Amino acid sequence: MKKSDNINRLLRLRPVTMILLSFIICHLSFSGCARMGSPDGGWYDEQPPRIIGSNPAEQATNVTAKKVTIYFDEYIKLADASQNVIVSPPQLEMPDIKEAGKKIVVSLKDTLKANTTYTIDFSDAISDNNEGNPLGNYTYTFSTGEKIDTFEVAGYVIEAENLEPVQGILVGLYDDLTDSAFQTKPMLRVARTDENGHFAIRGVAPGEYRVYALQDADGNYMFTQKSEKIAFSYETYKPSAALDTRQDTIWRDSLHIDSIARVPYMHFYPDDVVLLAFQEKQTDRYLLKVERKEANRITMFFTVGNDQLPVIRGLDFETDSAFILEHSLKNDTLTYWLRDTMMVNRDTLTFAMDYLATDTLGHLVSRTDTIEALAKTPYAKRLKAQQKEYEAWQKAQEKKKKREEPYDSIYPTKPLEIRYTVPQSMSPNGIVNIESPTPLASLDTAAIHLYSKIDTLWYRAPFEFRPSPHQLRRFELMADWHPDTEYSFEVDTLAFTDIYGQVSAPYKQGIKVRSLDEFATVVIEVSGLQDSTIIVELLDKSDKMVQQASVERDGTAQFFYVSPGVYYIRAFVDSNSNGQWDTGDYATGRQAEAVYYCPQEFEAKARWNITRQWNMTAQSRHHQKPAALSKKKSKKRTVKNRNADRARELGIEYVKSQEIKVKR
């Protein structure tokens, strides 16, 4: 049958049939379009920028030019070049690194070294300008000599104190293996750690090296300031390489794996260097600042404390018995409370202060400063604020008394606001804490009471009331708390009187000591280290210490009265047996005290006796810290393939093209 005959037959169909046929044709057309066309708005650009050339050429030798230009197939952007781009050997004069349309221009300022491999590590700072598709880790290499050095040294830098990855710290090599090199010579080759603390130093020549990490404050690529965070190891490394294979995952889209391929590659060693970073204890002493935020006290901040406290001589007031000194544990923060309210009311106090400070040679010498301690808030403004506060308190008291009984002729004064930390529900090893807002002139311990309830009667319970160690205004109440027992903590009026004559109000708080059935007992059996003093800590989900215990001779650390919950374990080697973690010191070759984490969490339940075995050295320390405790969460690998995801949602077929990019 001829084609014209078919057309004539269609023309003779009834109108209704024509309408139905048109609908079917349109439906089939749309269906075909849905399978072959593109979704509304077009496809996304998912291809990273591609390098199409460079000048000098990549891996060129005998290079003399100090300007490098890298060309791309599209417009690009470079994120924070000063932090993300590392030139090695390190440049003492910062290179000029700029993006310019479809190219990056690097101008080196230092003189090029002869017969040296240069690397410009861009990390993942390069991406396209439209969609932000990253190029990935990219390193440009050239040599001023006849050959390219290709070895690499890689590993991790973690915090010595808590095993957190250290991001952005410099890691460098020295072929000078003497201890003094780190403090007298700039690093030979450098890299910078990523968010996981990982580093890879490229372009390394054959030889033997030491590896150091440095948070370089002054930009000279060597350790010259105690304020600089460092990491060092006396171990030496000889770089090498060998053929190896790895598994590469090929993704169909962001949810589905297409295949897993085994890919040959050159494996560079060492790739597992672990450096533990710390900041040395500050020994240079100088005055940071003097402030008078509150009119009744003057606070001085020093970089380092000293047993020899400053001597103050008032220039416009009498110094004798003018102050009560409150100092921090290390004597680096000193607070001088003014005894006399007349001095408190003065806006400015001028005095000379003699104190010890470090000179340019690093020696402690006597220094005298004249200080004008200016109150942050002028007296008139303070007085007005105090009156308003007192009037508000009076009104609150009047409302309270209307519900009770009226006052006599003597109106009450505002009491000293003692802060009581008294839990209503407490474990048998709990402590009651009391803190005064100002130093006390007197304390009447006979006005402090503790009662325990036996059956239905209340009896006096013995307790110890003592000042908190190194705390002028804090006190502790300790007792032999009996499990599953009710107590009443009571304080009479006038128990506390401060230096300004304010007295405390009465206080009463009930305490219920929890039953032993509400707790677990945890025993940690520690192994992996010999002849070490080890302190083990139970941690909560925020990496905060809950309890601490020393490892006994039998290798166990025991924890009692552990509340139900999920816990983690940390330990440190207490080398000097002072009960606390101590940092390292490069001059003496002392590393920071070693810290370990148990990689697994555990759950404590009421009435459970839990025993955990832990080999502290079974796993490398940069893999020990549980991900749930890490402050820097590891970024999961995500495959950016929005076109495949979009096609899957629409039920159409999508074939990824490497050549054609259809812009939205």
Side-chain angles (χ1 to χ4, degrees):
M1 186 178 290
K2 296 180 179 180
K3 184 176 180 182
S4 58
D5 294 337
N6 287 333
I7 294 174
N8 291 331
R9 288 183 63 186
L10 286 171
L11 291 174
R12 289 195 297 270
L13 291 174
R14 294 179 180 179
V16 175
T17 306
M18 286 292 295
I19 293 172
L20 180 60
L21 184 59
S22 299
F23 175 78
I24 294 172
I25 292 172
C26 289
H27 176 73
L28 292 174
S29 298
F30 280 115
S31 176
C33 289
R35 292 192 58 80
M36 298 176 61
S38 64
D40 293 341
W43 299 108
Y44 293 96
D45 172 16
E46 293 183 340
Q47 301 301 318
R50 186 165 56 91
I51 298 169
I52 58 176
S54 62
N55 184 26
E58 180 116 16
Q59 296 196 349
T61 56
N62 297 313
V63 173
T64 58
K66 296 199 294 182
K67 183 177 180 180
V68 174
T69 306
I70 305 170
Y71 300 95
F72 299 85
D73 64 341
E74 61 178 314
Y75 290 99
I76 55 94
K77 55 186 177 182
L78 184 62
D80 196 1
S82 62
Q83 290 296 317
N84 294 326
V85 181
I86 292 292
V87 179
S88 192
Q91 305 293 290
L92 295 179
E93 187 174 354
M94 185 66 67
D96 187 22
I97 306 172
K98 293 181 179 178
E99 61 183 73
K102 295 183 180 181
K103 64 183 179 181
I104 291 176
V105 180
V106 180
S107 299
L108 303 178
K109 306 296 183 182
D110 289 1
T111 302
L112 295 180
K113 298 179 180 180
N115 300 314
T116 300
T117 296
Y118 279 77
T119 58
I120 306 175
D121 188 350
F122 291 92
S123 184
D124 58 355
I126 301 172
S127 60
D128 66 30
N129 192 57
N130 292 322
E131 297 290 349
N133 297 308
L135 175 62
N137 291 327
Y138 170 60
T139 302
Y140 171 88
T141 307
F142 70 88
S143 175
T144 58
E146 297 287 341
K147 62 183 180 68
I148 297 286
D149 295 319
T150 59
F151 285 143
E152 297 180 8
V153 175
Y156 296 85
V157 181
I158 56 178
E159 294 280 3
E161 186 174 6
N162 55 23
L163 306 193
E164 282 286 323
V166 181
Q167 181 178 2
I169 194 170
L170 283 174
V171 186
L173 299 181
Y174 282 93
D175 58 1
D176 184 342
L177 305 183
T178 61
D179 296 347
S180 61
F182 188 35
Q183 295 177 297
T184 57
K185 297 180 180 180
M187 294 170 167
L188 190 65
R189 303 199 67 81
V190 294
R192 200 183 294 276
T193 56
D194 62 16
E195 70 273 7
N196 298 314
H198 183 262
F199 68 89
I201 305 172
R202 299 183 173 89
V204 180
E208 188 173 7
Y209 301 93
R210 277 185 177 180
V211 188
Y212 297 83
L214 172 68
Q215 203 169 56
D216 194 15
D218 48 13
N220 62 0
Y221 295 94
M222 52 186 169
F223 176 43
T224 54
Q225 300 181 26
K226 283 184 175 292
S227 59
E228 295 174 324
K229 184 177 291 183
I230 62 169
F232 71 94
S233 171
Y234 291 140
E235 187 173 354
T236 60
Y237 301 92
K238 294 181 178 180
S240 61
L243 285 173
D244 203 346
T245 58
R246 64 168 176 254
Q247 290 186 343
D248 276 6
T249 303
I250 302 172
W251 294 81
R252 187 184 312 149
D253 52 45
S254 60
L255 295 178
H256 302 91
I257 295 175
D258 185 78
S259 61
I260 298 177
R262 294 183 63 83
V263 181
Y265 76 105
M266 185 63 68
H267 194 154
F268 294 98
Y269 300 94
D271 63 350
D272 57 355
V273 178
V274 178
L275 297 174
L276 294 150
F278 63 88
Q279 188 170 331
E280 291 189 346
K281 184 179 179 181
Q282 179 65 257
T283 57
D284 292 339
R285 175 178 166 85
Y286 53 90
L287 180 64
L288 289 171
K289 62 179 179 178
V290 177
E291 65 181 19
R292 191 181 170 196
K293 284 187 175 181
E294 300 294 335
N296 61 351
R297 57 188 179 271
I298 301 169
T299 304
M300 303 169 187
F301 300 90
F302 293 87
T303 54
V304 178
N306 193 279
D307 291 337
Q308 185 174 328
L309 298 173
V311 176
I312 294 178
R313 292 176 285 110
L315 300 181
D316 56 2
F317 63 90
E318 275 296 327
T319 311
D320 293 342
S321 302
F323 304 110
I324 291 180
L325 175 61
E326 180 179 12
H327 57 86
S328 63
L329 176 62
K330 298 179 180 179
N331 280 346
D332 53 359
T333 303
L334 306 175
T335 300
Y336 291 83
W337 291 85
L338 305 176
R339 292 177 179 270
D340 191 347
T341 54
M342 295 293 291
M343 289 177 59
V344 173
N345 294 338
R346 290 177 57 179
D347 288 342
T348 304
L349 295 172
T350 307
F351 57 90
M353 182 172 69
D354 302 326
Y355 63 97
L356 293 178
T358 304
D359 64 9
T360 55
L361 298 177
H363 302 137
L364 279 176
V365 297
S366 181
R367 176 171 178 170
T368 301
D369 288 346
T370 299
I371 308 292
E372 281 193 352
L374 181 66
K376 185 177 180 181
T377 307
Y379 172 68
K381 195 171 182 179
R382 294 199 310 269
L383 184 61
K384 188 175 180 180
Q386 289 171 358
Q387 286 176 335
K388 288 181 68 175
E389 182 184 355
Y390 185 71
E391 288 170 2
W393 178 81
Q394 279 186 327
K395 288 180 180 179
Q397 295 302 307
E398 288 173 358
K399 289 181 180 179
K400 181 179 178 182
K401 272 298 177 183
K402 283 180 181 178
R403 296 192 299 266
E404 300 174 6
E405 59 185 55
Y407 290 115
D408 295 331
S409 59
I410 301 176
Y411 203 85
T413 58
K414 188 177 179 182
L416 178 65
E417 295 180 351
I418 299 293
R419 187 174 71 182
Y420 299 94
T421 305
V422 186
Q424 294 182 4
S425 178
M426 189 168 63
S427 65
N429 59 349
I431 297 175
V432 171
N433 290 293
I434 300 99
E435 183 175 358
S436 172
T438 50
L440 296 179
S442 64
L443 166 61
D444 184 6
T445 55
I448 300 172
H449 315 281
L450 183 67
Y451 301 97
S452 63
K453 187 178 182 181
I454 302 176
D455 295 329
T456 58
L457 300 177
W458 291 93
Y459 296 89
R460 287 188 178 274
F463 64 88
E464 180 185 357
F465 191 86
R466 66 183 187 186
S468 295
H470 308 289
Q471 298 283 340
L472 175 67
R473 298 175 288 112
R474 296 192 65 181
F475 304 88
E476 297 175 347
L477 184 143
M478 304 180 67
D480 184 14
W481 306 105
H482 291 218
D484 200 19
T485 302
E486 290 184 46
Y487 289 83
S488 179
F489 173 63
E490 301 177 13
V491 180
D492 298 338
T493 307
L494 310 181
F496 304 97
T497 305
D498 77 350
I499 58 176
Y500 306 118
Q502 277 192 298
V503 296
S504 60
Y507 177 84
K508 183 177 181 179
Q509 174 66 56
I511 303 171
K512 175 63 185 296
V513 179
R514 295 158 64 189
S515 168
L516 294 180
D517 290 342
E518 299 181 41
F519 299 99
T521 299
V522 178
V523 177
I524 309 298
E525 296 180 352
V526 175
S527 62
L529 293 177
Q530 301 295 327
D531 301 325
S532 299
T533 302
I534 301 171
I535 294 179
V536 181
E537 298 170 334
L538 285 189
L539 310 174
D540 62 15
K541 293 181 179 180
S542 62
D543 205 19
K544 182 180 178 182
M545 185 188 72
V546 178
Q547 284 194 45
Q548 184 183 83
S550 297
V551 175
E552 305 295 337
R553 291 184 179 179
D554 61 357
T556 65
Q558 301 182 41
F559 300 90
F560 303 99
Y561 311 125
V562 179
S563 296
V566 174
Y567 293 93
Y568 300 85
I569 308 169
R570 176 175 62 203
F572 67 91
V573 178
D574 189 15
S575 303
N576 56 6
S577 300
N578 67 348
Q580 63 184 20
W581 180 85
D582 291 297
T583 190
D585 182 79
Y586 184 73
T588 61
R590 189 182 75 247
Q591 295 281 0
E593 290 182 333
V595 173
Y596 300 85
Y597 276 78
C598 180
Q600 293 82 31
E601 65 181 39
F602 72 93
E603 184 178 5
K605 294 186 177 181
R607 294 188 291 179
W608 278 28
N609 292 326
I610 302 167
T611 300
R612 300 275 297 185
Q613 288 82 31
W614 177 27
N615 185 339
M616 298 169 63
T617 58
Q619 194 169 0
S620 177
R621 278 194 275 175
H622 75 282
H623 288 311
Q624 284 187 0
K625 189 165 188 178
L629 296 184
S630 181
K631 297 175 184 176
K632 295 179 180 177
K633 303 300 181 184
S634 298
K635 295 181 179 179
K636 293 183 179 179
R637 179 181 176 182
T638 57
V639 179
K640 190 177 182 181
N641 198 343
R642 293 177 292 175
N643 288 332
D645 293 340
R646 193 169 187 180
R648 179 168 48 83
E649 291 173 0
L650 296 172
I652 63 177
E653 182 179 359
Y654 170 72
V655 179
K656 186 175 182 179
S657 172
Q658 299 294 331
E659 292 79 23
I660 301 174
K661 298 178 182 178
V662 183
K663 302 292 183 181
R664 285 187 297 168

